[in-house]
Amino acid sequence: MTSTLTPVRSKRSALTKGQLPKYAPYAVLAAALIIGAAILALVGFNPFGWGVVSAILFAVGLVSWSAAVEGSRKAKDKLATCLVVGSFLVALLPLVSVIWTVLVNGIPGLLDPGFLTTSMNGVTGAFDNKAVESGGPVMGGIYHALLGTVQITLLATVISVPVGLLTAIYLVEYGNDGRLAKAITFFVDVMTGIPSIVAGLFAAAFFFAVVGPGTKTGAVAAVALSVLMIPVVVRSSEEMLKIVPNELREAAYALGVRKWRTILKVVIPTAISGIASGVTLAIARVIGETAPILVTAGFATSINSNVFGGWMASLPTFIYTQILNPTSPSNPDPSSQRAWGAALVLIILVMVLNLVARLIARIFAPKTGR
């Protein structure tokens, strides 16, 4: 029995010879965390410093162990892996920090009664002073700003998506790298870098000249946002249309299908997933803009459901005014609480838009099953 098992054991040891054990990363990580905590305890402990020191110790320890056991080639590979993973975590830190900060500061405002269902109409500094003195709930909400954000963004999307998609279709299917197509591509690239305040000033000046001085409505703000959205929709849709295989178009042409119908029934459904993602990115690009809204729609404290008449508030302008001009200058905490709550709602809106885009892409994507 012993003689038959001996070759198997020697074979296994030969296969695992010169390799780190599977528990090596976990052991090095545990040691790095302990040593990092001990070092930070001497100079002043803080979570961020602990993470940085532990990451450095982990990389040094794992690479050194690998060099001693596996050789320089495997050690270089592990060093590259540590650098890539470390870079990813560093890039992830701001996102996690922002989300955590908004959650911690925004949830108390979101839990206030009437925060989502009332406006700031009639809310004065006396209400905030009373809330601070008595410890009661903060009065006033974001309903008017939430309604304005949805209406302005929806109208901007209605304007931008058809224009951007049709432009992308022309560039890919009809442009043939002609002079007009090259000119359109150039101006789209220029528009991509236009500052948001310039788009707001353009829309305001245009409506001042057409309608009259002092024209500030949600529709003007929607036009300003569409100037920012159209380049994003064009570029994203153009790239998605380009990756549609030409074989699909040629197969449709071979069956006698006209070009416009091929685009409508074959090309666009094939690229709808990427197009929906591009539209979502465009919406997320403009839904948090503040400067063009202030220039074109002004700011209101009451509910305005008419996007074509009167000043209209939005979530970004609500946050801006609550921080810059608190309702009660002597007690700014309630205004700050409202601003953080509005910021949390804005992030939730962007997340919902991403989920809707994924759902639309899944519903309208071409079916691959038989």
Side-chain angles (χ1 to χ4, degrees):
M1 179 69 69
T2 306
S3 60
T4 58
L5 291 178
T6 303
V8 177
R9 290 176 180 174
S10 61
K11 186 176 182 180
R12 288 178 179 174
S13 62
L15 291 174
T16 58
K17 185 179 180 180
Q19 294 182 3
L20 289 180
K22 293 183 178 180
Y23 62 83
Y26 305 102
V28 175
L29 178 61
L33 290 174
I34 295 173
I35 298 174
I39 294 174
L40 265 294
L42 299 176
V43 299
F45 184 84
N46 65 86
F48 179 76
W50 181 36
V52 172
V53 173
S54 299
I56 295 174
L57 292 175
F58 172 79
V60 172
L62 186 62
V63 172
S64 301
W65 192 359
S66 176
V69 176
E70 300 176 322
S72 61
R73 185 170 177 270
K74 290 291 185 69
K76 291 178 181 178
D77 178 73
K78 285 185 169 51
L79 176 61
T81 302
C82 291
L83 291 177
V84 171
V85 174
S87 300
F88 167 74
L89 294 176
V90 169
L92 199 64
L93 280 176
L95 176 63
V96 174
S97 176
V98 168
I99 293 176
W100 176 255
T101 304
V102 174
L103 284 174
V104 170
N105 294 281
I107 289 178
L110 200 62
L111 296 179
D112 284 332
F115 182 72
L116 296 174
T117 57
T118 60
S119 68
M120 292 294 294
N121 190 25
V123 178
T124 62
F127 290 91
D128 288 356
N129 294 334
K130 183 179 179 181
V132 172
E133 293 170 359
S134 63
V138 176
M139 305 299 295
I142 62 167
Y143 178 75
H144 62 303
L146 181 61
L147 181 64
T149 296
V150 172
Q151 289 180 315
I152 293 173
T153 307
L154 181 61
L155 183 57
T157 304
V158 170
I159 297 172
S160 304
V161 172
V163 175
L165 183 56
L166 290 175
T167 303
I169 291 174
Y170 171 78
L171 293 175
V172 176
E173 304 293 338
Y174 297 97
N176 298 324
D177 290 331
R179 291 184 178 179
L180 180 59
K182 291 180 180 179
I184 292 174
T185 301
F186 172 75
F187 285 114
V188 167
D189 292 338
V190 172
M191 289 177 63
T192 304
I194 289 179
S196 60
I197 186 63
V198 175
L201 291 174
F202 160 75
F206 176 78
F207 277 88
F208 289 176
V210 174
V211 180
T215 303
K216 289 188 177 183
T217 62
V220 182
V223 172
L225 295 183
S226 67
V227 174
L228 302 174
M229 287 183 65
I230 289 175
V232 180
V233 176
V234 172
R235 298 302 295 170
S236 59
S237 301
E238 182 183 1
E239 295 302 321
M240 291 301 105
L241 294 174
K242 282 181 178 179
I243 65 175
V244 175
N246 285 327
E247 289 78 3
L248 296 178
R249 299 180 177 89
E250 294 171 356
Y253 298 152
L255 294 174
V257 181
R258 295 185 177 182
K259 189 168 186 175
W260 69 269
R261 193 168 182 84
T262 300
I263 296 171
L264 187 63
K265 295 294 185 179
V266 177
V267 177
I268 293 179
T270 304
I272 189 64
S273 177
I275 293 173
S277 299
V279 172
T280 304
L281 289 175
I283 294 174
R285 160 80 169 82
V286 302
I287 197 172
E289 291 291 346
T290 306
I293 306 296
L294 286 173
V295 174
T296 55
F299 178 78
T301 58
S302 58
I303 299 171
N304 178 17
S305 57
N306 182 12
V307 74
F308 296 100
W311 286 25
M312 180 174 285
S314 66
L315 288 175
T317 57
F318 178 84
I319 297 170
Y320 174 79
T321 53
Q322 286 293 306
I323 295 296
L324 188 64
N325 299 310
T327 307
S328 174
S330 58
N331 290 307
D333 289 341
S335 294
S336 178
Q337 183 172 309
R338 296 191 198 99
W340 281 109
L344 179 58
V345 172
L346 193 59
I347 291 178
I348 293 173
L349 277 178
V350 175
M351 293 177 62
V352 170
L353 287 172
N354 278 276
L355 294 176
V356 170
R358 291 178 180 272
L359 181 62
I360 292 174
R362 180 173 297 182
I363 292 174
F364 291 100
K367 304 299 184 292
T368 57
R370 294 185 178 180

